[in-house]
């Protein structure tokens, strides 16, 4: 076969074409005398080219042929060429497993185990493997027999005769037969110990679940009882010696290597506990001391060796405990924490290569399925399978997992398990790391049927499946729905009508009969929709009950479901996006305001399932959306209706985010920075009101004047609007300013400006389902007696000649909100010297401000109101804090730029930074201002209408308490805390405002 110098032989070219990476070495191997009979056999080359690693397969085949006796070589090669089943099996194994090639080189006769092709050989079980291990009476012979059986399993696997699930089941059956053989060897070595005890071996983990890997720890627990009247202690000691010997037989390394480690660390008390216990000792431990993960491990328990009656008794005894585990306190969080701890323990350099434990790995699927089994398997026995794939199919059939999700998870899990099998099969080593070397990746890819570009295709498919698992795992494993279901009584996970009535009474619904009617309307029927509702309702009932108004929550859920129940995405969103269901429950049961907004446009529920859906949208996003919608509208009324619809949607988004941040969820605890919640609401409502005003302005102008108004026009925010401190029910305090365009008639400009203001106010208050936006212009020069809109020059003249102290104080909150930006900026330039006077305001002005404040306290407090609980005008309330801060601004802002802000909290922080106020005083004022603002927001959210005092109705008062973070029954603590906080603020205010 020697080629002419400078030319490659035809064999070299053929080998290259058949996938050999080192054709030169392969050609030399084929030229060996032992291979003469097949050196140019086209069938053999074709078969070698079809395996995972042709080079490895040929090297191992040459070693096998060399190891055979001369008389048997010809038989091997003739059979290899003429019998396709043997050729595919043998070469397939040799091309995928270096370790099994080594075994055949040591035991060349074992290749004949691949020649049989009986029907039972296609899917052997425990009995067939026991027969294959028969005669193994010591650890060495057991290893040889084990490898021989493993050879046949691998052959069926790599040839595609069995799929990955069937191969895993066969490996588990082989492990069962091996454990039985090892126990027989141990008993034969110590017959006196065997006579003293009944010993059963219980498999856990992948072996117990009938889904074992090629090389994996075999997890077991041992249970024993005395035999033949023996005493318990000697019997347990004898059983411990037998169990220890069994473990050594399988685990220790001999001249034939090891089989696999037998791991008993999942036993009660782990490594610190006795290796063997009696059945009663097992039960006593599980009933009193077991942790959550131990019940999860028992999910896959099955007897595999030893005394069958004792093994069955063990399973019968522990199974009820397994299916009650989900009722344990903190069950789901415990499992989730364990999963996260597993990930955290992976070395950083290996996370991306970790096939089993890394994100998007096998354990993600297994943990998610097991969690769903334990939660729902209490009432649905069809879910009680130790096999991950069978359990996943049952979960999909029962509606607990979406069919499409289950199909994707099944496909991904099979692919990842196939990768794991092939990685371990290569050297029969326990590993879950994807190799890094290109040659290893090429072999792995080819073993999975990838031929064009194995490395690229493998990485692409692996990443795709891992991404699918990561995405679906986050939906299934971490969804808080499960935690709530896990806290229900047995039998309620899928709601029956009778159980619903009992549950409602226990949860304290004010009108159980009405609530039961809602449940019957939602859950009755045999449709898939009803099945999903029956799965969701027990969870939602618990969340509603955790609120101050469960009845309102359930009624709202029914209304939303009636409106959206026929849409394909609604129930799927609640079932699969755990945050959506819990968020909806919190929003519906927290008060009237947010549910009223939602029920006007139920499709907004989608916001609750979007991870970024609760983040408020800023003015820079809202204003273009509203202006575009107004521009497309046929009339001004239609345009503003759209703008008000956007405002309603954004009010709902803001309120939902506020409620969920205040209540917290199972995944995310309540927001501890309540000031941030107040700021979030203030900024969001201010932005959406400003955008709405811009839309109303565009509509008012466009209807009569088109694109060009004869005057430039701007809207200036005042009060809490200008300070970005609006609550849900706040009016929009504004000033209107205009400036005639050059060349336009001043009278015409003034008339146009007044017409625009009138039209804006009319449009924003038209009767509609959306909440109106009330415009309040009472802070304008001359108050209600003055004109609604002035020119910039008129403002300048008024402020120069007639301005009062309170007007300069009011201008501290002025900020342009809509209209001509350049005109708005010039208005701010005009008023800055007035609100931030050089050298600060004089003592006369200070005395006037103090006089006004005292007068307001005495005259404006509503009759009968408790001054210790009035959030705006009461002791230490909003007015006290704001007037104190504003006085500091008017005195010192000329010298301290940080004080030149319209926002109370920013100005307070700037005053502290400038050492104008002590740290303690600043904290006291800030705490009181935030608390009063939170109470006002809470009252609006609960009652659906604005209020400055705590509600008098007990249920509403409790709801405000829950919003503020107080548990049921602690309304008195809430009121006491409010009085204490505001009393301290009043003391600071009197010191800084009146006495300074």
């Amino acid at each position: 076969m020697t080629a002419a110098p400078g030319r490659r032989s035809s064999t070299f070219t053929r080998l290259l074409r058949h996938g050999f990476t080192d054709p030169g070495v392969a050609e030399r191997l084929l030229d060996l005398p032992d291979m003469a009979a097949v050196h140019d056999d086209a069938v053999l080359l074709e078969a070698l080219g079809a395996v995972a690693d042709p080079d490895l397969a040929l090297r191992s085949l040459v070693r096998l042929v060399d190891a055979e006796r001369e008389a048997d070589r010809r038989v091997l090669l003739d059979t290899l060429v003429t019998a396709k089943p043997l050729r595919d099996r043998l070469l397939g194994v040799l091309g995928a497993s270096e370790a099994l090639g080594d075994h055949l080189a040591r035991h060349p006769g074992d290749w004949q185990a691949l020649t049989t092709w009986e029907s039972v050989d296609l899917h052997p079980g425990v009995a067939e493997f026991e027969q294959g291990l028969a005669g193994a009476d010591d650890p060495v012979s057991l290893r040889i027999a084990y490898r021989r059986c493993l050879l046949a399993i691998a052959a069926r696997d790599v040839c595609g005769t069995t799929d990955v699930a069937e191969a895993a089941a066969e490996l588990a059956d082989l492990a069962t037969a091996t454990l039985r053989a090892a126990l027989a060897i141990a008993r034969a070595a110590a017959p006196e110990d065997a006579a003293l005890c009944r010993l059963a071996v219980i498999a856990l983990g992948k072996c117990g679940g009938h889904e074992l890997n090629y090389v994996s720890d075999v997890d077991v627990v041992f249970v024993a009882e005395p035999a033949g009247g023996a005493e318990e202690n000697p019997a347990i000691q004898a059983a411990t010696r037998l169990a220890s010997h069994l473990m050594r037989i399988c685990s220790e390394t001999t001249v034939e290597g090891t089989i696999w480690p037998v791991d008993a660390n999942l036993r009660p008390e782990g490594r610190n506990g006795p290796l063997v216990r009696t059945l009663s000792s097992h039960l006593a431990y599980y009933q009193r001391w077991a942790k959550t993960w131990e019940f999860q491990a028992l999910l896959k328990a099955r007897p595999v060796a030893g005394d069958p009656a004792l093994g069955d008794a063990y399973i019968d005894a522990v199974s009820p405990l397994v299916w009650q585990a989900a009722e344990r306190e903190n069950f789901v969080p415990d499992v989730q924490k364990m999963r996260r701890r597993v990930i955290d323990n992976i070395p950083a350099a290996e996370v991306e290569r970790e096939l089993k434990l890394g994100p998007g790995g096998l354990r993600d699927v297994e943990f998610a399925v097991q969690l769903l089994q334990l939660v729902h398997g209490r009432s649905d026995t069809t879910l009680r399978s130790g096999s991950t794939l069978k359990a996943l199919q049952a979960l999909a059939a029962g509606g607990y997992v979406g069919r499409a999700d289950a199909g994707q998870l099944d496909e991904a899990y099979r692919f990842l398990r196939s990768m794991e099998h092939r990685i371990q099969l290569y050297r029969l080593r326990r590993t879950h790391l994807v190799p890094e070397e290109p040659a290893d990746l090429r072999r792995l890819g080819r073993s999975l049927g990838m031929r064009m570009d194995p490395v690229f295709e493998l990485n692409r498919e692996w990443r795709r499946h891992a991404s699918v698992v990561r995405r679906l795992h986050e939906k299934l494993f971490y969804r808080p729905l499960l935690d709530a279901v896990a806290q229900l009584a047995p039998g309620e996970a899928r709601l029956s009508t009778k159980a619903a009535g009992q549950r409602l009474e226990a949860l304290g619904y004010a009108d159980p009969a009405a609530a039961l009617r809602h449940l019957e309307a939602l859950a009755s029927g045999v449709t898939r929709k009803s099945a999903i509702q029956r799965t969701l309702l027990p969870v939602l009932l618990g969340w509603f009950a955790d609120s101050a108004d469960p009845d309102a929550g359930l009624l709202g859920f029914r209304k939303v479901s009636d409106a959206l129940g026929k849409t394909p995405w609604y129930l799927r969103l609640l079932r699969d996006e755990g945050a959506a269901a819990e968020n909806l429950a919190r929003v519906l049961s927290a008060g009237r305001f947010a549910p009223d907004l939602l029920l006007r446009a139920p499709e907004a529920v989608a916001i609750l399932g979007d991870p970024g859906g609760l983040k408020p949208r800023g003015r820079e996003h809202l204003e273009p959306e509203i202006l575009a919608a107004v521009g497309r509208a046929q009339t001004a009324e239609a345009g503003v209706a759209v703008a008000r619809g956007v405002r309603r949607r954004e009010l709902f988004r803001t309120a939902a985010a506020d409620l969920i941040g205040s209540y917290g969820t199972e995944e995310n605890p309540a927001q501890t920075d309540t000031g941030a919640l107040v700021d979030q609401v203030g900024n969001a409502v201010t932005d959406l009101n400003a955008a709405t005003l811009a839309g109303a302005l565009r509509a008012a102008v466009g209807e009569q004047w088109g694109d060009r108004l004869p005057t430039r026009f701007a809207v200036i925010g005042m009060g809490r609007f200008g300070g970005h401190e609006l609550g849900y029910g706040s009016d929009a305090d504004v000033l209107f300013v205009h400036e005639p365009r050059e060349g336009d008639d001043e009278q015409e400009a003034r008339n146009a400006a007044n017409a625009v203001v009138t039209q804006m106010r009319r449009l924003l208050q038209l009767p509609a389902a959306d909440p109106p936006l009330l415009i309040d212009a009472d802070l304008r020069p001359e108050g209600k007696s003055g004109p609604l809109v002035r020119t910039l020059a008129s403002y300048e003249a008024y402020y120069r000649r007639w301005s009062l102290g309170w007007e300069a104080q009011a201008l501290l909150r002025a900020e342009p909100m809509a209209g001509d930006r350049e005109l708005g900026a010039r208005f701010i330039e005009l008023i800055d010297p007035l609100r931030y006077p050089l050298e600060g305001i004089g003592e006369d002005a200070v005395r006037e401000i103090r006089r006004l404040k005292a007068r307001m306290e005495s005259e404006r407090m509503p009759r009968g109101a408790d001054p210790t609980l009035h959030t705006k005008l009461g002791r230490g309330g909003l007015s006290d804090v704001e007037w104190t801060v504003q006085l500091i601004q008017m005195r010192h802002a000329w010298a301290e730029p940080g004080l030149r802000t319209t926002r109370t909290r920013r100005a307070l922080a700037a005053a502290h930074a400038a050492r104008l106020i002590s740290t303690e005083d600043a904290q006291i004022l800030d705490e009181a201002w935030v608390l009063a603002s939170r109470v006002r927001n809470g009252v609006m959210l609960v009652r659906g209408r604005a209020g400055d005092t705590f509600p008098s109705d007990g249920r509403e008062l409790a709801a405000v308490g829950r919003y503020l973070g107080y548990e049921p029954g602690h309304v008195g603590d809430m009121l006491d805390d409010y009085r204490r906080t505001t009393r301290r603020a009043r003391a600071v205010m009197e010191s800084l405002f009146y006495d300074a």
Side-chain angles (χ1 to χ4, degrees), residues 84 115-116 124 126 141 176 210 294 301 348 360 367 429 436 581 590 610 748 780 785 796 906 914:
K84 185 178 188 309
T115 61
T116 57
V126 176
S141 59
T176 298
H210 243 85
E294 293 174 283
F367 265 50
R429 291 180 181 172
E436 296 180 288
D610 182 352
E748 180 185 353
R780 65 188 182 271
S785 302
E796 191 274 334
R906 288 188 183 178

Side-chain angles (χ1 to χ4, degrees), residues 235-311:
I236 296 302
Q237 291 171 2
T240 300
R241 289 190 290 272
L242 290 175
S244 298
H245 192 189
L246 177 152
M247 295 174 69
R248 292 196 301 274
I249 291 170
C250 297
S251 305
E252 287 182 345
T253 301
T254 69
V255 292
E256 286 294 333
T258 185
I259 302 178
W260 20 246
V262 176
D263 189 344
N265 289 336
L266 294 179
R267 66 185 183 270
E269 299 182 73
R271 295 179 181 178
N272 298 322
L275 182 63
V276 181
R277 290 174 182 256
T278 62
L279 179 55
S280 61
S281 177
H282 275 281
L283 286 178
Y285 173 83
Y286 287 125
Q287 289 168 344
R288 295 189 61 189
W289 309 110
K291 297 181 175 62
T292 297
W293 66 264
E294 293 174 283
F295 292 106
Q296 186 180 4
L298 288 173
L299 178 69
K300 296 179 178 292
R302 68 181 177 96
V304 290
D307 190 297
L310 181 57

Side-chain angles (χ1 to χ4, degrees), residues 623 626-627 630 689-699 760 817-819:
E623 190 168 310
I626 288 176
L627 292 179
V630 169
N689 281 357
T692 305
L693 284 176
L697 175 59
R698 173 69 62 86
M760 285 179 66
M817 289 295 175

Side-chain angles (χ1 to χ4, degrees), residues 88 93 163 310 389 427 435 440 497 566 604 630 638 659 855 950:
D88 291 342
V93 169
D163 65 20
L310 181 57
L389 291 175
R427 286 182 176 153
D440 294 327
T497 304
K566 293 183 179 180
V630 169
L659 288 167
R855 178 182 169 190
F950 287 89

Side-chain angles (χ1 to χ4, degrees), residues 135-174:
D137 54 5
D138 61 74
V140 173
S141 59
L142 181 61
R143 281 155 175 70
I144 295 171
Y146 176 84
R147 292 283 196 281
R148 187 183 307 119
C149 293
L150 192 65
L151 188 68
I153 293 175
R156 287 187 292 274
D157 184 12
V158 298
C159 291
T161 306
T162 57
D163 65 20
V164 66
E166 292 168 331
E170 289 184 12
L171 289 165
D173 285 340
L174 176 57

